[in-house]
């Protein structure tokens, strides 16, 4: 907790911008870092967009599990778009800055998406629990209204949590220094820079960590304990394999998300270099959203089939358009039109017929 007397606070200058120190230890590698994170960002956008599109187009994916998956992909797009574009621009700046207002905006969207994803992963775990442990009641327990309620509740939990933290962050007195040892804005970093009382902010942060972070994690863990115990009671090996394959992708995503999140926020800050802090945060904030669509597409036959149909449809459409608007065909059509315009009255169609006869594809 940082605090100063009112007289000292009056002698300080309020912070209007922050300087990111992330990646500053390697000035000669800024171009390489830009290319790496640009590829990661584009891969994240492409992968998650394909997941969203395939779940909308393919009727086989119009189920609660894939409804949750499309919302998870949308969350991942929002999550990465909150941080990576700013980071990419800063790679070309000698002074990597962000304004006070932009920092608060980044915190708002970052906390909203992170909180919503925690609750949404728990909702997806509940969906798998009902599907495996209560398959006969699945249509009732996971109706359209229930799915919409769970997704809306996930967004509301993240939004309420984010609004609370952002409003409390505006009450902090930031007197300097204005350097953030990271590549993004987050609540703990602002608390370190504050020269006013942060006890309320820290208390709310601990409460939010328990309700939005720990509770969904424990709920997901209990759900999978029940799921695994139910799978082990299936007599045939083929039945056990089929049941486990329906939740393997989600279990992998949960382990990656909560594993990197806990290592990012719950490990001791002392004894780690700046490079190690950046690496851990990159794993959580950048790599996880990119890996989610890859995990689901590799471990799920329905998603792979829908993606093949989607990509194949676009390739088929592209071939049709390329043939219809090929340079040779366009030149041929232009030549026919010129001959029709130049020919005497009553002979235009004959010239067109002759030219088409020379090229049967016409």
């Amino acid at each position: 907790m940082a605090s100063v007397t009112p007289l000292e606070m009056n002698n300080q200058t309020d912070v209007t911008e922050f300087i990111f120190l992330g990646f500053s230890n390697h000035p000669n590698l800024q171009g390489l870092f830009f290319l790496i994170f640009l590829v990661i960002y584009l891969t994240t956008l492409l992968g998650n967009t394909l997941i969203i599109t395939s779940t909308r187009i393919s009727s086989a994916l119009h189920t609660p599990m894939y409804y949750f998956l499309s919302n998870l992909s949308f969350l991942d797009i929002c999550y990465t778009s909150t941080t990576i574009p700013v980071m990419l621009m800063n790679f070309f700046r000698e002074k990597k800055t962000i304004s006070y207002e932009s920092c608060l905006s980044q915190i708002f969207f970052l906390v909203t998406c992170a909180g919503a994803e925690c609750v949404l992963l728990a909702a997806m775990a509940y969906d798998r629990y009902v599907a495996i442990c209560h398959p006969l009641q699945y249509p009732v327990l996971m109706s359209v209204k229930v799915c919409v309620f769970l997704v809306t509740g996930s967004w509301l939990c993240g939004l309420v949590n984010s609004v609370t933290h952002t409003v409390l962050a505006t009450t902090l007195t930031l007197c300097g220094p204005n350097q953030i040892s990271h590549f993004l804005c987050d609540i703990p970093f602002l608390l370190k820079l504050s020269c006013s009382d942060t006890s309320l902010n820290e208390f709310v942060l601990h409460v939010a960590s328990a309700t939005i972070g720990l509770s969904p994690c424990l709920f997901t863990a209990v759900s999978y304990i029940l799921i695994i115990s139910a799978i082990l009671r299936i007599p045939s090996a083929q039945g056990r394999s089929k049941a486990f394959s329906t939740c393997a992708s989600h279990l992998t995503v949960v382990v990656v998300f909560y594993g990197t999140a806990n290592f990012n926020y719950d490990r001791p800050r002392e004894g780690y270099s700046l490079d190690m802090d950046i690496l851990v945060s990159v794993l959580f904030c950048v790599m996880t959203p990119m890996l989610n669509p890859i995990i689901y597409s590799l471990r799920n036959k329905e998603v792979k089939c829908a993606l093949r149909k989607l990509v194949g449809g676009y390739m088929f459409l592209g071939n049709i358009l390329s043939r219809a608007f090929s340079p040779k065909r366009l030149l041929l059509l232009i030549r026919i039109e010129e001959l029709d315009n130049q020919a005497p009255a009553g002979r235009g169609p004959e010239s067109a017929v002759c030219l088409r006869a020379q090229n049967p594809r016409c």
Side-chain angles (χ1 to χ4, degrees), residues 30-42:
Q30 299 299 299
L32 178 61
F33 288 148
F34 174 82
L35 290 177
I36 292 174
F37 285 104
L38 178 62
V39 170
I40 292 175
Y41 183 52
L42 294 178

Side-chain angles (χ1 to χ4, degrees), residues 89-228:
M89 289 189 295
N90 280 332
F91 282 131
F92 292 101
R93 295 176 179 172
E94 184 176 351
K95 189 178 181 182
K96 308 179 190 305
T97 61
I98 186 172
S99 66
Y100 174 77
E101 293 78 11
S102 298
C103 184
L104 288 180
S105 299
Q106 191 177 74
I107 288 176
F108 173 78
F109 290 107
L110 191 69
V111 176
T112 298
C113 294
E117 187 159 345
C118 285
V119 181
L120 183 61
L121 288 175
M124 296 174 73
Y126 173 72
D127 169 73
R128 293 298 84 205
Y129 164 76
V130 175
I132 293 176
C133 298
H134 304 282
L136 298 179
Q137 298 176 297
Y138 185 80
V140 177
L141 295 177
M142 295 304 298
S143 62
V144 175
K145 290 184 179 180
V146 173
C147 294
V148 173
F149 174 78
L150 291 174
V151 170
T152 304
S154 301
W155 278 99
L156 286 177
C157 287
L159 188 61
V160 170
N161 181 45
S162 180
V163 169
T164 304
H165 285 302
T166 307
V167 170
L168 288 176
T170 60
T171 65
L172 296 174
T173 303
L174 305 173
C175 309
N178 64 338
Q179 295 179 340
I180 297 178
S181 299
H182 219 279
F183 60 85
L184 54 81
C185 289
D186 206 353
I187 297 295
F189 303 136
L190 291 190
L191 297 182
K192 286 184 178 180
L193 300 179
S194 175
C195 54
S196 59
D197 184 18
T198 61
S199 56
L200 178 60
N201 302 72
E202 292 174 358
F203 173 75
V204 173
L205 188 62
H206 290 310
V207 171
S209 298
T211 55
I212 303 296
L214 183 60
S215 297
C217 181
L218 292 177
F219 180 86
T220 304
V222 172
S223 298
Y224 271 102
I225 290 174
L226 298 175
I227 288 172
I228 293 173

